[in-house]
Amino acid sequence: MYTKKPTTPEDVIERAYQGKCTKEDALILLEGNPFDLFELANDLRASAAGDAVSYVVNRNIYITNKCVGTCGFCAYRTEKGYILSVDEILKKVGDARKAGAVEVCVQGGYTPEADMEFYLEIIESIKAEYPDMCIHALSPMEVNYAAGISGMSVDEALKKLKKSGLDSLTGTSAEILSDRVRKIICPGKITTQQWIETITAAHKAGISTNATIMYGHVETLEERLDHVFTIREIQKETGGFTELIPMSFLPYNNPIGEKMLASGKFSSTGLEDLQLIAISRVILHSHVKNIQATWVKLGKKLAQVALLCGANDLGGTLMEDQISTASGGSHGEYVSPAEFEWMIKGAGRVPMQRDTLYRKVEPRFSGQEGLIPGFARAKMGSKE
């Protein structure tokens, strides 16, 4: 049970409303009564985004499960797997379009078999056949790797991706933007500075991105905060981030998680999850408008509570989230638009369907009829 602590200093609150929260302010807020932090974050959310809670009807498309990476948190990668053909990808996009999706999130690993020319062909083919479908694809790591094996610079690759029709680059492969942490959990990935440079270059090329943080493993509290402040500094320079997505680490079926579990440490607590969402809202106020509560990591009920702690977006319907389920996620692979609307209204807020770039869209389906053929019959949490 929490005892009432002194109220938050007025100067801390004032700086929060001005968009000038300092790391010292953030630590004060995290050390205080969490409900004071949640109330401040909720007030800032109302000021920045109003009462609308957005979500996107989308589908994940995993073009490959092959990857030469050595990330210690990954339970999805394999060296002997599949790579979808362009025709197979288009079939999945077509099924998603029939189900009412406005976005496809094209994901995969990085492998010599997937160079930049392959990615460009995928994007151009999707846009040619489904010009109104938003394409949210690739990570800074994939761009760096594919550009390298194709003999082009990152800047050149991003310009080609933009010209081919890429709407948004994912902000994944960020994990924690600390090279100390990255040497432990993903030593083969790009460095913090390379991630920053790639994201900044994407924004300057006219490609928006989201930002992510994967927390709850080997990082310290200050490293979490430094990560969020780094996002703020990039945003002040480029204005290219659409949202921040805090993602809790799932410690099952992967080497980093096995070490954690053996030491008696489990994943982040629900309170930690809500505190990070709330402090991210405070730090990013007036800079990044949207903070997502990702149901596939938090679960539907905690994601709904997060709407009262600074979050204003629930992410996507997904229709296929194999990466989280491979790491022990137990919240399923799909939420229907009807259930999102029910969750949002239950929190006293106003549902709004959006596209990748947070533009309001009119619903194409209102309920379960928008499911991919056969998906409604599949057991939630299973793979296609």
Side-chain angles (χ1 to χ4, degrees):
M1 183 176 179
Y2 291 100
T3 57
K4 184 67 177 176
K5 296 181 181 180
T7 56
T8 306
E10 286 299 321
D11 61 327
V12 171
I13 295 174
E14 184 177 349
R15 281 191 291 273
Y17 272 94
Q18 293 172 346
K20 298 178 180 179
C21 175
T22 66
K23 187 156 77 169
E24 293 71 23
D25 292 342
L27 289 169
I28 289 171
L29 289 165
L30 289 169
E31 289 166 0
N33 187 319
F35 294 99
D36 290 342
L37 170 60
F38 299 157
E39 182 179 7
L40 173 60
N42 194 44
D43 289 345
L44 292 173
R45 180 274 309 160
S47 173
D51 285 333
V53 172
S54 53
Y55 66 94
V56 60
V57 180
N58 66 350
R59 182 184 192 175
N60 281 344
I61 297 177
Y62 298 91
I63 58 177
T64 182
N65 61 351
K66 298 176 73 171
C67 185
V68 297
T70 56
C71 299
F73 54 81
C74 183
Y76 185 67
R77 175 188 71 87
T78 179
E79 293 182 2
K80 296 181 180 180
Y82 69 87
I83 296 182
L84 296 180
S85 68
V86 172
D87 285 344
E88 289 172 321
I89 292 168
L90 288 175
K91 172 66 167 58
K92 286 178 175 283
V93 177
D95 287 344
R97 181 67 180 81
K98 291 173 187 174
V102 299
E103 172 194 282
V104 287
C105 185
V106 181
Q107 304 188 64
Y110 47 102
T111 170
E113 296 159 273
D115 57 14
M116 187 54 62
E117 286 75 15
F118 179 55
Y119 290 138
L120 293 171
E121 183 184 1
I122 291 170
I123 293 166
E124 289 167 4
S125 298
I126 294 173
K127 279 297 182 183
E129 196 153 338
Y130 305 99
D132 62 342
M133 182 69 75
C134 285
I135 304 174
H136 181 55
L138 307 184
S139 68
M141 179 67 226
E142 287 170 287
V143 171
N144 273 266
Y145 184 84
I149 62 176
S150 294
M152 64 180 74
S153 68
V154 169
D155 284 344
E156 183 183 359
L158 289 166
K159 289 176 183 176
K160 288 179 178 291
L161 287 166
K162 173 68 174 177
K163 185 177 180 181
S164 294
L166 181 66
D167 294 290
S168 178
L169 188 75
T170 76
T172 54
S173 72
E175 325 315 350
I176 294 290
L177 294 174
S178 157
D179 285 332
R180 183 196 75 82
V181 173
R182 300 177 78 79
K183 286 175 183 176
I184 298 171
I185 67 170
C186 53
K189 261 187 178 168
I190 54 178
T191 65
T192 296
Q193 188 57 37
Q194 286 174 310
W195 188 90
I196 292 170
E197 289 172 355
T198 305
I199 284 289
T200 302
H203 293 173
K204 291 181 178 178
I207 303 171
S208 68
T209 75
N210 56 28
T212 63
I213 175 172
M214 188 190 73
Y215 63 94
H217 37 86
V218 304
E219 85 287 355
T220 65
L221 174 59
E222 289 211 12
E223 284 168 331
R224 289 185 196 178
L225 293 176
D226 287 342
H227 181 113
V228 181
F229 278 107
T230 297
I231 298 302
R232 188 173 79 177
E233 289 308 303
I234 296 171
Q235 186 74 340
K236 286 164 70 173
E237 178 185 349
T238 69
F241 287 123
T242 53
E243 65 191 326
L244 173 69
I245 310 175
M247 301 186 297
S248 58
F249 171 63
L250 298 174
Y252 304 100
N253 307 324
N254 59 72
I256 295 295
E258 287 171 5
K259 290 180 182 178
M260 281 178 53
L261 295 171
S263 70
K265 181 181 177 183
F266 294 82
S267 58
S268 58
T269 65
L271 183 59
E272 278 184 279
D273 295 332
L274 296 176
Q275 284 177 309
L276 182 57
I277 286 169
I279 202 64
S280 296
R281 169 62 69 186
V282 174
I283 294 168
L284 297 175
H285 181 62
S286 79
H287 303 287
V288 178
K289 179 180 176 181
N290 304 298
I291 307 292
Q292 186 181 123
T294 173
W295 62 269
V296 77
K297 304 289 187 183
L298 300 174
K300 298 169 191 174
K301 291 185 177 182
L302 192 60
Q304 185 191 43
V305 175
L307 299 179
L308 303 177
C309 302
N312 70 302
D313 184 77
L314 287 176
T317 56
L318 293 182
M319 299 183 188
E320 190 179 354
D321 182 28
Q322 298 176 8
I323 290 177
S324 291
T325 54
S327 295
S330 58
H331 302 298
E333 296 182 59
Y334 176 75
V335 171
S336 70
E339 188 169 3
F340 268 140
E341 303 255 335
W342 175 79
M343 290 167 61
I344 294 165
K345 290 176 182 176
R349 307 278 284 285
V350 181
M352 184 191 84
Q353 283 194 26
R354 63 167 175 87
D355 66 6
T356 308
L357 303 178
Y358 278 79
R359 297 171 298 204
K360 183 177 180 180
V361 298
E362 292 303 316
R364 291 175 179 167
F365 297 98
S366 59
Q368 298 284 349
E369 67 267 40
L371 283 165
I372 288 176
F375 203 89
R377 297 185 295 275
K379 181 180 178 182
M380 297 306 285
S382 66
K383 298 178 179 62
E384 284 191 316

